[in-house]
Structures are given as C-alpha cells and as structure tokens.
Amino acid sequence: MISRKNFLKISALGGLFPFQDWASSSHSFSGKIKKPIVISTWRHGVKANNAAWKVLNEGGSALDAVETGVRVTEADSEVRTVGYGGRPDRDGFVTLDACIMDEQQECGSVGAIQHIMHPISVARKVKENSPHVMLVGQGAVDFALDQGFKKKDLLTEKSRKEWEQWKKNANYEPKVNIENHDTIGMLALDSEGNLSGACTTSGMAWKMHGRIGDSPLIGSGLYVDNEVGAASGTGVGEEIIRVCGSHLVVENMRRGDSPEQACKNAVERIVANKDTLENTQVGFIAISKQGQVGGYSIQQGFNYAVHDDTDNQLIDSKYLV
Ligand code: SD4
C-alpha cells in the first residue's frame, strides 16, 4: 500500500503524468536531480547567489546558503529595497521584514524590525532560540539586541533625500507602485537534497508605519516543503497575502505542476479577482525537490537569478500581461 507520505512524494514527482509540461523550461526535468542549485529574485540575486553558491559548493546546507546569500543584499546600500539603504515608510522609518524556513519546516520571522542590519539572521535566531515563529516591532528589536545584534541607523542619505522629495507631493498617501519594491527571496537545494528558503525586504517604499507585507509571512512570502519544493514571492505583498502565494505555488507543484507552471497558476489566481492590473506586479520563483526551477510574474520586468554547477544566470521571467 502507498503511504500518505509516499503518495505526496509521488505526486510531487509528477504523479501519473511525470513529464507534464516540464519540457518547455530551460531547467526541465531530465530524470536526474540537479543539485546543488540556488535561485533568487531580481538582478541583486546574482551577487547573492555567488555567496550562497560558495556555501553549497563546499557541501554546506541550504539553510546556511540562503542566509549567507541574502545577507549580501541586506548589507548593500545600493539595493534600495532590502536592508541597509532600503527606502523608509512614510514617516521616515526603515522597517524590515524577513523570514527563513528549513527542510524540517522549522521557521523564524521578524516583522517591522528597525535598526538591525541583518533581519534574516534575527529570523534564524527566532527559529532556533525562541519558542516562537514570529516577532514584530520593538519586541523583535529587543530580542535581536538580546541575541547580540548591534543597532545601526539604516536610513542612508540617498534614501532620506528621496523620502523628503516624496513628502513634497505625496500628501502622506501610501501608494502601490510596481516600481517601488524588490524583495530578495532565495531558495536552495543542497548536495544532501535538502531545501531551504529565505526572504528579506524593506517592503513597499512609503508604506504606512507598522505595515507588514508578505515577506515575513510563512506561506505568503516564502514556503518550503522538503518533500515537494519551495517558493518565494515578490511584488505587492497585499496581493500575495490574499492567496497565501508561496504555499499555493508549492501545493501546485505537489499536484504535478512544474515550478514555472506552479508560479503561473498562482499568478492567475491573484489576477482572477482583479478589475485592473495597473500598478500590480507580483512575481514568484520556485524550485522542485528535483532541482528544477522556474518563475512567473503578472507584468513584464521581473527576473530571477539561477546558480547551478555551470552558470549564474539572470533569467527574464515569463509574464501574464
Ligand atoms: C512587500 N513583497 O513588502 C514586498 C515588497 C517587494 O519586491 O517585494 N517587493 O510587499
């Protein structure tokens, strides 16, 4: 008899339709597991992948790889949408969201944390050194300090000037804009065949103070199921939260979708209830247990970086409209 666990595994491998729609992807399923491999969102993913790859290539865990990888982006003041140098909320505070999830579905998360350079590492500490999954606001800061993290002013001159400019015309109105975000989500499969993921962001620029997006929410900005695959989202967090986007992508893979098809189906679910797509961008990336990767977005312009044993490539995502 097939156990439930094995049934889920078989489904994840394509079930009764093993090669369904997979041949169109450049990372299509050849029957051999492709590992290690790492995928991350946007152009800044290329640099982050290099750091993650170093860990993977030396036999390190997917968990260490994704944490190491996204820390590069968090520390890069030129990336204005993640960590240090990220754009502030409408009151001028840089508030950061991050989460991390491993192959055991152990996870940790911080929301709206301030003054801490590496929220992803605080999220990992929440996972490992607290009985909780998520800490937010001042509680997250207090925990970070208790764990030995140092306070830092994250608002750079560039971001402060831009915020001052924004205030002149914006009437204190937070606006969804397809340009004002770019989270890093990273997913890795290590040489042991284990999956982990990380997601970290300064969120939507000029958001309301206290706003938390999809990025720190397990199931929305990130989801990992070591039997099936992993996914991460980027774009308008409110839209991703409504459909539990990353969980949806993984469940699509469980019932046989390729990573790209799984992302496409989740994008279609988001779009189904919307009258207009103006200013709405959402992109997903996904990786299967076999090391196939893919992505899909609502609008043109989303890209993702994939590092395997041959290359670190920036790929333009397919898109819906
Ligand atoms: C958020 N999803 O806070 C994040 C922002 C972002 O690519 O991704 N951007 O809603």
Short mmCIF file of all heavy atoms in Angstrom, two decimals, residues 130-187:
data_model
loop_
_atom_site.label_atom_id
_atom_site.label_comp_id
_atom_site.label_asym_id
_atom_site.label_seq_id
_atom_site.Cartn_x
_atom_site.Cartn_y
_atom_site.Cartn_z
N SER A 130 14.10 30.72 20.18
CA SER A 130 12.87 31.15 20.84
C SER A 130 11.80 30.08 20.63
O SER A 130 11.92 29.28 19.70
CB SER A 130 12.38 32.50 20.28
OG SER A 130 11.50 32.29 19.18
N PRO A 131 10.77 30.09 21.45
CA PRO A 131 9.71 29.09 21.23
C PRO A 131 8.71 29.54 20.17
O PRO A 131 7.70 28.88 19.96
CB PRO A 131 9.04 29.02 22.61
CG PRO A 131 9.28 30.37 23.22
CD PRO A 131 10.57 30.90 22.67
N HIS A 132 9.00 30.68 19.50
CA HIS A 132 8.01 31.28 18.59
C HIS A 132 8.46 31.21 17.13
O HIS A 132 9.60 30.87 16.83
CB HIS A 132 7.78 32.75 18.97
CG HIS A 132 7.38 32.91 20.41
ND1 HIS A 132 6.29 32.28 20.94
CD2 HIS A 132 7.95 33.62 21.42
CE1 HIS A 132 6.18 32.59 22.22
NE2 HIS A 132 7.18 33.40 22.54
N VAL A 133 7.56 31.58 16.25
CA VAL A 133 7.89 31.67 14.82
C VAL A 133 8.11 33.13 14.42
O VAL A 133 8.95 33.42 13.59
CB VAL A 133 6.76 31.04 13.96
CG1 VAL A 133 6.88 31.46 12.49
CG2 VAL A 133 6.79 29.52 14.07
N MET A 134 7.37 34.04 15.03
CA MET A 134 7.39 35.42 14.52
C MET A 134 7.45 36.44 15.65
O MET A 134 6.69 36.34 16.62
CB MET A 134 6.12 35.65 13.69
CG MET A 134 6.09 36.96 12.98
SD MET A 134 4.79 36.97 11.75
CE MET A 134 5.30 38.39 10.81
N LEU A 135 8.35 37.40 15.52
CA LEU A 135 8.39 38.54 16.44
C LEU A 135 8.33 39.82 15.62
O LEU A 135 8.93 39.91 14.55
CB LEU A 135 9.70 38.52 17.25
CG LEU A 135 9.89 37.37 18.24
CD1 LEU A 135 11.29 37.43 18.86
CD2 LEU A 135 8.83 37.38 19.34
N VAL A 136 7.62 40.81 16.13
CA VAL A 136 7.48 42.05 15.36
C VAL A 136 7.83 43.28 16.21
O VAL A 136 7.81 43.25 17.43
CB VAL A 136 6.03 42.23 14.80
CG1 VAL A 136 5.66 41.05 13.93
CG2 VAL A 136 5.02 42.44 15.91
N GLY A 137 8.12 44.36 15.49
CA GLY A 137 8.30 45.68 16.09
C GLY A 137 9.37 45.70 17.18
O GLY A 137 10.43 45.08 17.05
N GLN A 138 9.05 46.41 18.27
CA GLN A 138 10.04 46.60 19.34
C GLN A 138 10.44 45.27 19.96
O GLN A 138 11.60 45.07 20.35
CB GLN A 138 9.49 47.57 20.39
CG GLN A 138 10.51 48.02 21.43
CD GLN A 138 11.75 48.67 20.79
OE1 GLN A 138 11.64 49.50 19.88
NE2 GLN A 138 12.95 48.28 21.25
N GLY A 139 9.51 44.34 20.02
CA GLY A 139 9.81 43.02 20.58
C GLY A 139 10.90 42.32 19.78
O GLY A 139 11.78 41.65 20.34
N ALA A 140 10.83 42.48 18.46
CA ALA A 140 11.85 41.87 17.59
C ALA A 140 13.20 42.54 17.80
O ALA A 140 14.24 41.88 17.83
CB ALA A 140 11.41 41.97 16.13
N VAL A 141 13.17 43.86 17.96
CA VAL A 141 14.43 44.60 18.21
C VAL A 141 15.03 44.16 19.54
O VAL A 141 16.23 43.87 19.62
CB VAL A 141 14.18 46.14 18.22
CG1 VAL A 141 15.47 46.89 18.55
CG2 VAL A 141 13.62 46.61 16.89
N ASP A 142 14.20 44.09 20.58
CA ASP A 142 14.69 43.69 21.91
C ASP A 142 15.32 42.30 21.86
O ASP A 142 16.39 42.06 22.42
CB ASP A 142 13.54 43.69 22.94
CG ASP A 142 13.03 45.10 23.21
OD1 ASP A 142 13.73 46.06 22.85
OD2 ASP A 142 11.91 45.22 23.76
N PHE A 143 14.65 41.41 21.14
CA PHE A 143 15.17 40.04 21.01
C PHE A 143 16.52 40.06 20.29
O PHE A 143 17.48 39.39 20.72
CB PHE A 143 14.15 39.18 20.24
CG PHE A 143 14.65 37.81 19.90
CD1 PHE A 143 14.71 36.81 20.86
CD2 PHE A 143 15.06 37.50 18.61
CE1 PHE A 143 15.17 35.53 20.55
CE2 PHE A 143 15.53 36.23 18.28
CZ PHE A 143 15.59 35.25 19.26
N ALA A 144 16.60 40.84 19.21
CA ALA A 144 17.84 40.91 18.44
C ALA A 144 19.00 41.40 19.32
O ALA A 144 20.10 40.83 19.31
CB ALA A 144 17.67 41.83 17.23
N LEU A 145 18.73 42.45 20.09
CA LEU A 145 19.79 43.00 20.95
C LEU A 145 20.22 41.97 22.00
O LEU A 145 21.40 41.80 22.28
CB LEU A 145 19.31 44.29 21.62
CG LEU A 145 18.98 45.45 20.65
CD1 LEU A 145 18.44 46.66 21.40
CD2 LEU A 145 20.19 45.83 19.80
N ASP A 146 19.22 41.28 22.51
CA ASP A 146 19.49 40.23 23.48
C ASP A 146 20.35 39.12 22.90
O ASP A 146 21.13 38.47 23.59
CB ASP A 146 18.12 39.67 23.91
CG ASP A 146 18.22 38.94 25.21
OD1 ASP A 146 18.80 39.52 26.15
OD2 ASP A 146 17.73 37.79 25.29
N GLN A 147 20.20 38.90 21.59
CA GLN A 147 20.96 37.84 20.91
C GLN A 147 22.33 38.34 20.43
O GLN A 147 23.05 37.63 19.73
CB GLN A 147 20.17 37.34 19.69
CG GLN A 147 18.88 36.60 20.05
CD GLN A 147 19.17 35.24 20.67
OE1 GLN A 147 19.97 34.48 20.17
NE2 GLN A 147 18.51 34.96 21.78
N GLY A 148 22.64 39.60 20.73
CA GLY A 148 23.97 40.11 20.41
C GLY A 148 24.06 40.94 19.14
O GLY A 148 25.15 41.36 18.75
N PHE A 149 22.93 41.19 18.49
CA PHE A 149 22.96 42.06 17.30
C PHE A 149 23.18 43.50 17.76
O PHE A 149 22.77 43.89 18.85
CB PHE A 149 21.65 41.95 16.52
CG PHE A 149 21.46 40.62 15.85
CD1 PHE A 149 20.98 39.52 16.56
CD2 PHE A 149 21.77 40.44 14.51
CE1 PHE A 149 20.82 38.28 15.95
CE2 PHE A 149 21.61 39.20 13.89
CZ PHE A 149 21.13 38.12 14.62
N LYS A 150 23.78 44.30 16.86
CA LYS A 150 24.06 45.71 17.21
C LYS A 150 23.09 46.62 16.48
O LYS A 150 22.68 46.33 15.35
CB LYS A 150 25.49 46.06 16.79
CG LYS A 150 26.55 45.25 17.53
CD LYS A 150 26.86 45.86 18.91
CE LYS A 150 27.76 44.99 19.76
NZ LYS A 150 27.11 43.92 20.54
N LYS A 151 22.78 47.74 17.11
CA LYS A 151 21.90 48.73 16.48
C LYS A 151 22.65 49.52 15.43
O LYS A 151 23.81 49.87 15.63
CB LYS A 151 21.39 49.71 17.54
CG LYS A 151 20.03 49.36 18.07
CD LYS A 151 19.47 50.49 18.91
CE LYS A 151 17.98 50.33 19.08
NZ LYS A 151 17.38 51.32 19.93
N LYS A 152 21.96 49.85 14.33
CA LYS A 152 22.60 50.67 13.30
C LYS A 152 21.52 51.55 12.67
O LYS A 152 20.37 51.12 12.50
CB LYS A 152 23.22 49.76 12.25
CG LYS A 152 23.89 50.53 11.12
CD LYS A 152 24.78 49.66 10.26
CE LYS A 152 25.33 50.43 9.07
NZ LYS A 152 26.27 51.50 9.40
N ASP A 153 21.90 52.76 12.30
CA ASP A 153 20.97 53.61 11.57
C ASP A 153 20.94 53.11 10.12
O ASP A 153 21.96 53.15 9.44
CB ASP A 153 21.43 55.07 11.64
CG ASP A 153 20.45 56.00 10.93
OD1 ASP A 153 19.40 55.51 10.46
OD2 ASP A 153 20.74 57.21 10.85
N LEU A 154 19.80 52.68 9.67
CA LEU A 154 19.71 52.05 8.33
C LEU A 154 19.31 53.04 7.24
O LEU A 154 19.31 52.72 6.06
CB LEU A 154 18.70 50.90 8.36
CG LEU A 154 18.99 49.79 9.37
CD1 LEU A 154 17.87 48.75 9.35
CD2 LEU A 154 20.34 49.11 9.11
N LEU A 155 18.93 54.26 7.66
CA LEU A 155 18.48 55.26 6.67
C LEU A 155 19.70 55.97 6.08
O LEU A 155 20.36 56.76 6.76
CB LEU A 155 17.54 56.27 7.33
CG LEU A 155 16.89 57.29 6.41
CD1 LEU A 155 15.96 56.62 5.40
CD2 LEU A 155 16.12 58.34 7.22
N THR A 156 19.98 55.69 4.83
CA THR A 156 21.13 56.33 4.19
C THR A 156 20.72 57.71 3.67
O THR A 156 19.52 58.01 3.54
CB THR A 156 21.64 55.48 3.02
OG1 THR A 156 20.56 55.24 2.14
CG2 THR A 156 22.23 54.16 3.49
N GLU A 157 21.71 58.50 3.35
CA GLU A 157 21.47 59.85 2.86
C GLU A 157 20.60 59.83 1.59
O GLU A 157 19.68 60.62 1.44
CB GLU A 157 22.84 60.49 2.58
CG GLU A 157 22.89 61.97 2.48
CD GLU A 157 22.15 62.70 3.61
OE1 GLU A 157 21.98 62.15 4.72
OE2 GLU A 157 21.72 63.85 3.35
N LYS A 158 20.90 58.87 0.73
CA LYS A 158 20.17 58.74 -0.54
C LYS A 158 18.68 58.49 -0.29
O LYS A 158 17.81 59.11 -0.88
CB LYS A 158 20.74 57.54 -1.31
CG LYS A 158 21.26 57.86 -2.69
CD LYS A 158 21.70 56.57 -3.36
CE LYS A 158 22.55 56.89 -4.56
NZ LYS A 158 23.19 55.69 -5.11
N SER A 159 18.41 57.56 0.62
CA SER A 159 17.01 57.20 0.90
C SER A 159 16.30 58.34 1.63
O SER A 159 15.12 58.61 1.39
CB SER A 159 16.93 55.91 1.71
OG SER A 159 17.14 54.82 0.86
N ARG A 160 17.04 59.03 2.52
CA ARG A 160 16.43 60.14 3.26
C ARG A 160 16.04 61.26 2.29
O ARG A 160 14.94 61.81 2.36
CB ARG A 160 17.39 60.68 4.33
CG ARG A 160 16.70 61.64 5.31
CD ARG A 160 17.68 62.23 6.31
NE ARG A 160 18.77 62.94 5.67
CZ ARG A 160 18.68 64.15 5.09
NH1 ARG A 160 17.53 64.78 5.09
NH2 ARG A 160 19.73 64.70 4.54
N LYS A 161 16.92 61.55 1.34
CA LYS A 161 16.64 62.62 0.36
C LYS A 161 15.43 62.25 -0.50
O LYS A 161 14.57 63.09 -0.78
CB LYS A 161 17.86 62.84 -0.53
CG LYS A 161 18.90 63.70 0.14
CD LYS A 161 19.89 64.25 -0.89
CE LYS A 161 20.89 65.17 -0.20
NZ LYS A 161 22.26 64.87 -0.58
N GLU A 162 15.39 61.01 -0.90
CA GLU A 162 14.28 60.56 -1.74
C GLU A 162 12.95 60.66 -0.99
O GLU A 162 11.92 61.03 -1.53
CB GLU A 162 14.54 59.12 -2.19
CG GLU A 162 14.03 58.85 -3.59
CD GLU A 162 14.21 57.40 -3.98
OE1 GLU A 162 15.32 56.88 -3.79
OE2 GLU A 162 13.24 56.81 -4.47
N TRP A 163 13.00 60.29 0.30
CA TRP A 163 11.80 60.36 1.14
C TRP A 163 11.35 61.82 1.28
O TRP A 163 10.16 62.12 1.18
CB TRP A 163 12.10 59.74 2.51
CG TRP A 163 11.06 59.98 3.55
CD1 TRP A 163 9.75 59.58 3.50
CD2 TRP A 163 11.22 60.66 4.79
NE1 TRP A 163 9.09 59.97 4.64
CE2 TRP A 163 9.98 60.64 5.45
CE3 TRP A 163 12.30 61.29 5.42
CZ2 TRP A 163 9.77 61.22 6.70
CZ3 TRP A 163 12.10 61.86 6.67
CH2 TRP A 163 10.85 61.83 7.29
N GLU A 164 12.30 62.73 1.45
CA GLU A 164 11.95 64.14 1.59
C GLU A 164 11.31 64.67 0.31
O GLU A 164 10.35 65.44 0.34
CB GLU A 164 13.15 64.95 2.03
CG GLU A 164 13.12 64.99 3.53
CD GLU A 164 14.39 65.32 4.24
OE1 GLU A 164 15.38 65.70 3.57
OE2 GLU A 164 14.38 65.19 5.47
N GLN A 165 11.84 64.21 -0.80
CA GLN A 165 11.26 64.57 -2.09
C GLN A 165 9.84 64.03 -2.22
O GLN A 165 8.92 64.71 -2.64
CB GLN A 165 12.17 63.99 -3.20
CG GLN A 165 11.96 64.56 -4.58
CD GLN A 165 12.11 66.07 -4.60
OE1 GLN A 165 12.95 66.64 -3.89
NE2 GLN A 165 11.27 66.72 -5.38
N TRP A 166 9.68 62.77 -1.82
CA TRP A 166 8.36 62.10 -1.90
C TRP A 166 7.33 62.88 -1.09
O TRP A 166 6.21 63.10 -1.54
CB TRP A 166 8.49 60.66 -1.39
CG TRP A 166 7.16 59.96 -1.26
CD1 TRP A 166 6.45 59.34 -2.23
CD2 TRP A 166 6.36 59.84 -0.06
NE1 TRP A 166 5.28 58.84 -1.74
CE2 TRP A 166 5.20 59.13 -0.41
CE3 TRP A 166 6.52 60.26 1.26
CZ2 TRP A 166 4.18 58.83 0.52
CZ3 TRP A 166 5.51 59.96 2.19
CH2 TRP A 166 4.37 59.26 1.82
N LYS A 167 7.73 63.34 0.10
CA LYS A 167 6.80 64.03 1.00
C LYS A 167 6.22 65.29 0.39
O LYS A 167 5.09 65.68 0.69
CB LYS A 167 7.52 64.41 2.30
CG LYS A 167 7.61 63.26 3.29
CD LYS A 167 7.88 63.74 4.69
CE LYS A 167 9.25 64.40 4.82
NZ LYS A 167 9.60 64.77 6.19
N LYS A 168 7.00 65.92 -0.51
CA LYS A 168 6.56 67.20 -1.09
C LYS A 168 5.27 67.05 -1.88
O LYS A 168 4.42 67.93 -1.88
CB LYS A 168 7.66 67.76 -2.00
CG LYS A 168 8.78 68.35 -1.21
CD LYS A 168 9.79 69.01 -2.13
CE LYS A 168 11.02 69.40 -1.34
NZ LYS A 168 12.22 69.46 -2.14
N ASN A 169 5.13 65.92 -2.60
CA ASN A 169 3.97 65.78 -3.48
C ASN A 169 2.98 64.71 -3.09
O ASN A 169 1.93 64.58 -3.69
CB ASN A 169 4.44 65.45 -4.91
CG ASN A 169 5.52 66.38 -5.35
OD1 ASN A 169 5.41 67.59 -5.17
ND2 ASN A 169 6.61 65.83 -5.88
N ALA A 170 3.32 63.92 -2.09
CA ALA A 170 2.56 62.67 -1.90
C ALA A 170 1.33 62.80 -1.02
O ALA A 170 0.54 61.87 -0.91
CB ALA A 170 3.48 61.61 -1.33
N ASN A 171 1.13 63.95 -0.36
CA ASN A 171 0.00 64.11 0.56
C ASN A 171 -0.05 63.00 1.62
O ASN A 171 -1.13 62.58 2.02
CB ASN A 171 -1.33 64.11 -0.20
CG ASN A 171 -1.37 65.21 -1.21
OD1 ASN A 171 -0.90 66.32 -0.94
ND2 ASN A 171 -1.90 64.91 -2.38
N TYR A 172 1.11 62.51 1.99
CA TYR A 172 1.20 61.48 3.04
C TYR A 172 0.40 60.23 2.68
O TYR A 172 -0.15 59.54 3.50
CB TYR A 172 0.68 62.09 4.35
CG TYR A 172 1.06 61.37 5.62
CD1 TYR A 172 2.38 61.09 5.94
CD2 TYR A 172 0.08 61.00 6.53
CE1 TYR A 172 2.71 60.44 7.12
CE2 TYR A 172 0.40 60.36 7.73
CZ TYR A 172 1.72 60.07 8.00
OH TYR A 172 2.04 59.43 9.17
N GLU A 173 0.33 59.97 1.38
CA GLU A 173 -0.52 58.86 0.90
C GLU A 173 0.35 57.70 0.45
O GLU A 173 1.08 57.81 -0.54
CB GLU A 173 -1.29 59.33 -0.33
CG GLU A 173 -2.76 59.43 -0.12
CD GLU A 173 -3.45 59.85 -1.40
OE1 GLU A 173 -3.52 58.99 -2.31
OE2 GLU A 173 -3.87 61.02 -1.50
N PRO A 174 0.23 56.55 1.13
CA PRO A 174 0.98 55.39 0.63
C PRO A 174 0.35 54.91 -0.67
O PRO A 174 -0.87 54.87 -0.79
CB PRO A 174 0.78 54.34 1.73
CG PRO A 174 -0.44 54.76 2.46
CD PRO A 174 -0.61 56.23 2.28
N LYS A 175 1.18 54.60 -1.66
CA LYS A 175 0.65 54.19 -2.96
C LYS A 175 1.31 52.91 -3.42
O LYS A 175 2.51 52.75 -3.29
CB LYS A 175 0.94 55.28 -4.00
CG LYS A 175 -0.07 56.38 -4.04
CD LYS A 175 -0.47 56.71 -5.50
CE LYS A 175 -1.69 57.58 -5.57
NZ LYS A 175 -1.44 58.96 -5.19
N VAL A 176 0.51 52.05 -3.97
CA VAL A 176 1.08 50.85 -4.58
C VAL A 176 1.66 51.25 -5.92
O VAL A 176 1.04 51.94 -6.70
CB VAL A 176 -0.01 49.78 -4.77
CG1 VAL A 176 0.52 48.61 -5.58
CG2 VAL A 176 -0.51 49.31 -3.42
N ASN A 177 2.89 50.82 -6.12
CA ASN A 177 3.57 51.23 -7.34
C ASN A 177 4.42 50.04 -7.79
O ASN A 177 5.11 49.44 -6.99
CB ASN A 177 4.45 52.44 -6.99
CG ASN A 177 5.28 52.90 -8.15
OD1 ASN A 177 5.66 52.12 -9.00
ND2 ASN A 177 5.55 54.17 -8.18
N ILE A 178 4.34 49.70 -9.05
CA ILE A 178 5.07 48.49 -9.46
C ILE A 178 6.59 48.69 -9.44
O ILE A 178 7.34 47.76 -9.56
CB ILE A 178 4.61 47.94 -10.84
CG1 ILE A 178 5.00 48.86 -11.99
CG2 ILE A 178 3.15 47.64 -10.86
CD1 ILE A 178 4.78 48.21 -13.33
N GLU A 179 7.00 49.90 -9.22
CA GLU A 179 8.45 50.18 -9.22
C GLU A 179 9.08 50.21 -7.83
O GLU A 179 10.29 50.17 -7.71
CB GLU A 179 8.70 51.55 -9.86
CG GLU A 179 8.30 51.66 -11.32
CD GLU A 179 9.06 50.68 -12.19
OE1 GLU A 179 10.19 50.32 -11.83
OE2 GLU A 179 8.50 50.26 -13.21
N ASN A 180 8.26 50.38 -6.78
CA ASN A 180 8.90 50.75 -5.51
C ASN A 180 9.15 49.58 -4.55
O ASN A 180 9.06 49.73 -3.36
CB ASN A 180 8.11 51.87 -4.82
CG ASN A 180 6.77 51.40 -4.30
OD1 ASN A 180 6.43 50.24 -4.43
ND2 ASN A 180 6.03 52.30 -3.70
N HIS A 181 9.48 48.45 -5.11
CA HIS A 181 9.78 47.30 -4.26
C HIS A 181 10.72 46.39 -5.03
O HIS A 181 10.87 46.51 -6.22
CB HIS A 181 8.49 46.55 -3.93
CG HIS A 181 7.64 46.30 -5.12
ND1 HIS A 181 7.97 45.36 -6.08
CD2 HIS A 181 6.51 46.89 -5.55
CE1 HIS A 181 7.05 45.37 -7.01
NE2 HIS A 181 6.16 46.30 -6.74
N ASP A 182 11.35 45.48 -4.36
CA ASP A 182 12.19 44.43 -4.95
C ASP A 182 12.84 43.62 -3.84
O ASP A 182 14.01 43.76 -3.53
CB ASP A 182 13.32 44.98 -5.85
CG ASP A 182 12.86 45.21 -7.28
OD1 ASP A 182 11.67 45.03 -7.55
OD2 ASP A 182 13.70 45.59 -8.11
N THR A 183 12.04 42.79 -3.27
CA THR A 183 12.48 41.89 -2.20
C THR A 183 13.50 40.89 -2.73
O THR A 183 13.45 40.53 -3.89
CB THR A 183 11.25 41.11 -1.71
OG1 THR A 183 10.36 42.04 -1.13
CG2 THR A 183 11.59 40.03 -0.73
N ILE A 184 14.37 40.40 -1.86
CA ILE A 184 15.11 39.20 -2.26
C ILE A 184 14.50 37.97 -1.58
O ILE A 184 14.40 37.90 -0.36
CB ILE A 184 16.63 39.28 -2.05
CG1 ILE A 184 17.26 37.99 -2.61
CG2 ILE A 184 17.03 39.51 -0.60
CD1 ILE A 184 18.69 38.12 -3.05
N GLY A 185 14.07 37.05 -2.44
CA GLY A 185 13.66 35.72 -1.98
C GLY A 185 14.68 34.75 -2.55
O GLY A 185 15.07 34.89 -3.72
N MET A 186 15.14 33.83 -1.74
CA MET A 186 16.16 32.87 -2.22
C MET A 186 15.79 31.46 -1.78
O MET A 186 15.42 31.24 -0.63
CB MET A 186 17.53 33.27 -1.65
CG MET A 186 18.63 32.30 -2.06
SD MET A 186 20.25 32.80 -1.43
CE MET A 186 20.78 33.94 -2.66
N LEU A 187 15.94 30.51 -2.72
CA LEU A 187 15.62 29.11 -2.45
C LEU A 187 16.82 28.27 -2.85
O LEU A 187 17.40 28.51 -3.92
CB LEU A 187 14.40 28.68 -3.28
CG LEU A 187 13.21 29.63 -3.27
CD1 LEU A 187 12.22 29.24 -4.36
CD2 LEU A 187 12.53 29.63 -1.90
#
